[in-house]
Amino acid sequence: RLLTARGAALARRDETEARWQKLAKSPMKAALPLEKYTGTYASPLLGEVTIRQVDGRLIYVRTPQRSLELVVEASGGNAFLGR
């Protein structure tokens, strides 16, 4: 059972990575200019997070050691996928 669960988790990881790579290469545009998404936000669940724009990409920063590069989700608009 443990091996089956691990295999399923690895398959989900691989699917997510493939999806991210595809979106990163796509010409999808965010609904707003990227600078409109930047700033520091507070969440009861996540605490304080910062969204920065670096080299034309959005970077989600929770701590100096935890950050994600964001790409526009397939649906476009205001949905992003992070890695």
Side-chain angles (χ1 to χ4, degrees), residues 45-62:
L45 179 64
L46 301 174
E48 193 171 277
V49 298
T50 301
I51 306 291
R52 295 186 180 132
Q53 185 178 354
V54 178
D55 298 328
R57 295 272 194 203
L58 290 178
I59 307 294
Y60 164 101
V61 181
R62 187 162 170 204

